[in-house]
Coordinates of all heavy atoms in Angstrom, one line a residue:
A222 N -11.4 -23.7 -5.2 CA -10.8 -25.0 -5.5 C -11.5 -26.1 -4.6 O -11.7 -27.2 -5.3 CB -9.3 -24.9 -5.2
V223 N -11.8 -25.9 -3.5 CA -12.4 -26.9 -2.6 C -13.8 -27.1 -3.0 O -14.2 -28.3 -3.2 CB -12.3 -26.4 -1.1 CG1 -13.1 -27.4 -0.2 CG2 -10.8 -26.4 -0.7
L224 N -14.6 -26.1 -3.2 CA -16.0 -26.3 -3.5 C -16.3 -26.9 -4.8 O -17.3 -27.5 -5.0 CB -16.7 -25.0 -3.3 CG -16.7 -24.3 -1.9 CD1 -17.5 -23.0 -2.0 CD2 -17.3 -25.3 -0.9
T225 N -15.3 -26.7 -5.8 CA -15.6 -27.3 -7.1 C -14.9 -28.6 -7.4 O -15.0 -29.2 -8.4 CB -15.0 -26.2 -8.2 OG1 -13.7 -26.0 -8.0 CG2 -15.8 -24.9 -8.1
S226 N -14.2 -29.1 -6.3 CA -13.6 -30.5 -6.4 C -14.5 -31.6 -5.9 O -15.0 -31.5 -4.9 CB -12.2 -30.4 -5.6 OG -11.3 -29.6 -6.2
K227 N -14.6 -32.6 -6.7 CA -15.4 -33.7 -6.2 C -14.6 -34.7 -5.4 O -13.3 -34.7 -5.4 CB -15.8 -34.7 -7.5 CG -16.7 -33.9 -8.4 CD -17.1 -34.7 -9.7 CE -18.0 -34.1 -10.6 NZ -18.5 -34.9 -11.7
D228 N -15.3 -35.3 -4.4 CA -14.7 -36.2 -3.5 C -14.2 -37.5 -4.2 O -14.8 -38.0 -5.2 CB -15.6 -36.8 -2.4 CG -16.1 -35.6 -1.5 OD1 -15.5 -34.5 -1.6 OD2 -17.0 -35.8 -0.7
D229 N -13.0 -38.0 -3.8 CA -12.5 -39.2 -4.5 C -13.2 -40.4 -3.6 O -14.1 -40.2 -2.9 CB -11.0 -39.3 -4.3 CG -10.4 -39.3 -2.9 OD1 -11.2 -39.4 -2.0 OD2 -9.2 -39.3 -2.7
D230 N -12.6 -41.6 -4.0 CA -13.3 -42.8 -3.4 C -13.2 -42.9 -1.9 O -14.0 -43.5 -1.2 CB -12.6 -44.0 -4.0 CG -12.9 -44.2 -5.5 OD1 -13.8 -43.6 -6.0 OD2 -12.1 -44.9 -6.2
E231 N -12.3 -42.1 -1.3 CA -12.0 -42.1 0.2 C -12.8 -40.9 0.7 O -12.5 -40.7 2.0 CB -10.6 -42.1 0.5 CG -9.9 -43.4 0.0 CD -8.4 -43.3 0.3 OE1 -8.0 -42.5 1.1 OE2 -7.7 -44.2 -0.3
G232 N -13.5 -40.2 0.0 CA -14.3 -39.0 0.5 C -13.3 -37.8 0.7 O -13.7 -36.8 1.4
R233 N -12.2 -37.8 0.1 CA -11.3 -36.6 0.1 C -11.4 -35.7 -1.0 O -11.8 -36.1 -2.2 CB -9.9 -37.1 0.2 CG -9.5 -38.1 1.3 CD -8.1 -38.6 1.2 NE -7.9 -39.2 -0.1 CZ -6.7 -39.6 -0.6 NH1 -5.6 -39.4 0.1 NH2 -6.7 -40.1 -1.8
K234 N -11.1 -34.4 -0.8 CA -11.1 -33.5 -1.8 C -9.6 -33.2 -2.0 O -8.9 -32.5 -1.2 CB -11.7 -32.2 -1.5 CG -13.3 -32.3 -1.4 CD -14.0 -31.0 -1.2 CE -15.5 -31.1 -1.2 NZ -16.0 -31.4 -2.5
V235 N -9.0 -33.7 -3.1 CA -7.5 -33.6 -3.3 C -7.3 -32.3 -4.1 O -7.7 -32.3 -5.3 CB -7.0 -34.9 -3.9 CG1 -5.4 -34.7 -4.2 CG2 -7.3 -36.1 -3.0
I236 N -6.4 -31.4 -3.6 CA -6.2 -30.2 -4.3 C -4.7 -30.2 -4.7 O -3.8 -30.2 -4.0 CB -6.4 -29.0 -3.4 CG1 -7.8 -29.0 -2.8 CG2 -6.2 -27.7 -4.3 CD1 -8.9 -29.0 -3.8
T237 N -4.5 -30.4 -6.1 CA -3.2 -30.5 -6.7 C -2.8 -29.1 -7.2 O -3.5 -28.1 -7.2 CB -3.1 -31.5 -7.8 OG1 -4.1 -31.1 -8.8 CG2 -3.6 -32.9 -7.3
E238 N -1.5 -29.0 -7.5 CA -1.1 -27.8 -8.1 C -1.8 -27.4 -9.4 O -2.1 -26.2 -9.7 CB 0.4 -27.8 -8.5 CG 1.1 -26.5 -8.8 CD 2.6 -26.5 -8.8 OE1 3.2 -27.4 -8.2 OE2 3.1 -25.6 -9.5
E239 N -2.2 -28.5 -10.2 CA -3.0 -28.3 -11.3 C -4.4 -27.6 -11.1 O -4.8 -26.7 -11.7 CB -3.2 -29.6 -12.1 CG -3.9 -29.4 -13.5 CD -4.1 -30.7 -14.2 OE1 -3.6 -31.7 -13.7 OE2 -4.9 -30.6 -15.2
I240 N -5.0 -28.1 -10.1 CA -6.3 -27.6 -9.7 C -6.1 -26.2 -9.1 O -6.9 -25.2 -9.4 CB -6.9 -28.4 -8.5 CG1 -7.3 -29.8 -9.2 CG2 -8.1 -27.7 -7.9 CD1 -7.9 -30.8 -8.1
A241 N -5.0 -25.9 -8.3 CA -4.8 -24.5 -7.9 C -4.5 -23.6 -9.1 O -5.0 -22.5 -9.0 CB -3.5 -24.5 -7.0
S242 N -3.9 -24.0 -10.1 CA -3.7 -23.1 -11.2 C -5.0 -22.9 -12.0 O -5.0 -21.7 -12.5 CB -2.7 -23.8 -12.2 OG -3.2 -24.9 -12.8
Q243 N -5.8 -23.8 -11.9 CA -7.2 -23.5 -12.6 C -8.1 -22.6 -11.7 O -8.9 -21.8 -12.2 CB -8.0 -24.8 -12.7 CG -7.3 -25.8 -13.7 CD -7.9 -27.1 -13.8 OE1 -8.9 -27.4 -13.0 NE2 -7.4 -28.0 -14.6
S244 N -7.8 -22.5 -10.5 CA -8.6 -21.7 -9.5 C -8.1 -20.3 -9.4 O -8.9 -19.4 -9.0 CB -8.6 -22.3 -8.1 OG -9.1 -23.7 -8.2
I245 N -6.9 -20.1 -9.7 CA -6.3 -18.8 -9.7 C -5.4 -18.6 -10.9 O -4.2 -18.6 -10.9 CB -5.5 -18.6 -8.4 CG1 -5.0 -17.1 -8.2 CG2 -4.3 -19.5 -8.3 CD1 -4.4 -16.8 -6.9
Q246 N -6.1 -18.5 -12.1 CA -5.4 -18.6 -13.4 C -4.5 -17.5 -13.7 O -3.5 -17.7 -14.4 CB -6.5 -18.7 -14.5 CG -7.3 -20.0 -14.3 CD -8.4 -20.1 -15.4 OE1 -8.4 -19.2 -16.3 NE2 -9.2 -21.1 -15.4
K247 N -4.8 -16.3 -13.3 CA -3.9 -15.1 -13.7 C -3.2 -14.7 -12.3 O -3.9 -14.4 -11.3 CB -4.8 -14.0 -14.2 CG -4.0 -12.9 -14.7 CD -4.8 -11.8 -15.3 CE -4.0 -10.6 -15.8 NZ -4.8 -9.6 -16.5
R248 N -1.9 -14.5 -12.5 CA -1.2 -14.0 -11.4 C -1.7 -12.6 -11.1 O -1.8 -11.7 -11.9 CB 0.3 -13.9 -11.7 CG 1.2 -13.5 -10.6 CD 2.7 -13.4 -11.1 NE 3.1 -14.7 -11.6 CZ 3.8 -15.5 -10.8 NH1 3.9 -15.4 -9.4 NH2 4.2 -16.8 -11.3
Y249 N -1.9 -12.3 -9.8 CA -2.4 -11.1 -9.3 C -1.2 -10.1 -9.4 O -0.2 -10.3 -8.8 CB -3.0 -11.1 -7.9 CG -3.5 -9.8 -7.4 CD1 -4.7 -9.3 -7.8 CD2 -2.8 -9.0 -6.6 CE1 -5.3 -8.2 -7.4 CE2 -3.3 -7.8 -6.1 CZ -4.7 -7.4 -6.5 OH -5.1 -6.2 -6.1
T250 N -1.4 -9.0 -10.1 CA -0.3 -7.9 -10.2 C -0.8 -6.7 -9.3 O -1.8 -6.1 -9.6 CB -0.1 -7.5 -11.6 OG1 0.2 -8.6 -12.4 CG2 0.9 -6.4 -11.7
R251 N 0.0 -6.4 -8.3 CA -0.4 -5.3 -7.4 C 0.0 -3.9 -8.0 O 1.1 -3.5 -7.9 CB 0.3 -5.5 -6.1 CG -0.2 -4.5 -5.0 CD 0.4 -4.8 -3.7 NE -0.1 -6.1 -3.3 CZ -1.3 -6.3 -2.7 NH1 -2.2 -5.3 -2.6 NH2 -1.6 -7.5 -2.3
Y252 N -0.9 -3.4 -8.9 CA -0.5 -2.2 -9.6 C -1.7 -1.4 -9.9 O -2.8 -1.9 -10.3 CB 0.1 -2.6 -11.0 CG 0.6 -1.4 -11.8 CD1 1.9 -0.9 -11.5 CD2 -0.1 -0.8 -12.8 CE1 2.4 0.2 -12.2 CE2 0.4 0.3 -13.5 CZ 1.6 0.8 -13.2 OH 2.1 1.9 -13.9
D253 N -1.6 -0.1 -9.6 CA -2.7 0.8 -9.7 C -2.3 2.0 -10.5 O -1.4 2.7 -10.0 CB -3.3 1.2 -8.3 CG -4.4 2.1 -8.4 OD1 -4.9 2.5 -9.5 OD2 -5.0 2.5 -7.3
R254 N -2.9 2.2 -11.6 CA -2.3 3.4 -12.5 C -2.5 4.7 -11.9 O -1.9 5.6 -12.3 CB -3.1 3.3 -13.8 CG -2.7 2.2 -14.8 CD -3.6 2.1 -15.9 NE -3.7 3.4 -16.7 CZ -4.5 3.6 -17.8 NH1 -5.3 2.7 -18.1 NH2 -4.4 4.8 -18.4
T255 N -3.4 4.8 -10.8 CA -3.5 6.1 -10.1 C -2.9 6.1 -8.8 O -3.0 7.1 -8.1 CB -5.0 6.4 -10.0 OG1 -5.7 5.4 -9.2 CG2 -5.7 6.4 -11.4
G256 N -2.3 5.0 -8.3 CA -1.7 5.0 -7.0 C -0.3 5.0 -6.9 O 0.4 5.3 -7.8
D257 N 0.3 4.7 -5.8 CA 1.7 4.7 -5.5 C 2.5 3.9 -6.4 O 3.6 4.1 -6.8 CB 2.0 4.4 -4.0 CG 1.8 5.6 -3.1 OD1 1.4 6.7 -3.6 OD2 2.0 5.3 -1.9
E258 N 1.9 2.6 -6.6 CA 2.7 1.6 -7.4 C 3.0 2.2 -8.7 O 4.0 1.9 -9.4 CB 1.9 0.3 -7.5 CG 1.5 -0.4 -6.2 CD 2.9 -0.7 -5.6 OE1 3.8 -1.2 -6.2 OE2 3.1 -0.5 -4.3
H259 N 2.1 3.0 -9.4 CA 2.3 3.6 -10.6 C 3.6 4.4 -10.6 O 4.4 4.2 -11.5 CB 1.1 4.6 -10.9 CG 1.3 5.5 -12.1 ND1 1.1 5.2 -13.3 CD2 1.7 6.9 -12.0 CE1 1.4 6.3 -14.1 NE2 1.8 7.2 -13.4
Y260 N 3.8 5.2 -9.6 CA 5.1 6.0 -9.5 C 6.2 5.1 -9.1 O 7.4 5.3 -9.6 CB 4.8 7.1 -8.5 CG 3.7 8.1 -8.9 CD1 2.5 8.0 -8.3 CD2 3.9 9.0 -9.9 CE1 1.4 8.8 -8.6 CE2 2.9 9.8 -10.3 CZ 1.6 9.7 -9.7 OH 0.7 10.6 -10.1
H261 N 6.1 4.1 -8.3 CA 7.2 3.2 -7.9 C 7.7 2.5 -9.1 O 8.9 2.3 -9.3 CB 6.7 2.3 -6.8 CG 6.4 2.9 -5.4 ND1 7.0 4.1 -5.1 CD2 5.5 2.6 -4.5 CE1 6.6 4.5 -3.9 NE2 5.6 3.6 -3.5

Side-chain angles (χ1 to χ4, degrees):
V223 171
L224 296 182
T225 58
S226 296
K227 294 182 179 179
D228 294 351
D229 64 7
D230 294 339
E231 299 178 16
R233 302 174 305 170
K234 291 182 179 292
V235 180
I236 308 300
T237 62
E238 188 171 337
E239 181 182 357
I240 294 176
S242 67
Q243 294 170 357
S244 302
I245 187 169
Q246 294 180 1
K247 185 177 180 181
R248 186 185 297 272
Y249 183 77
T250 302
R251 189 173 295 283
Y252 187 82
D253 182 357
R254 288 174 56 184
T255 62
D257 278 1
E258 296 302 313
H259 167 83
Y260 299 103
H261 293 331

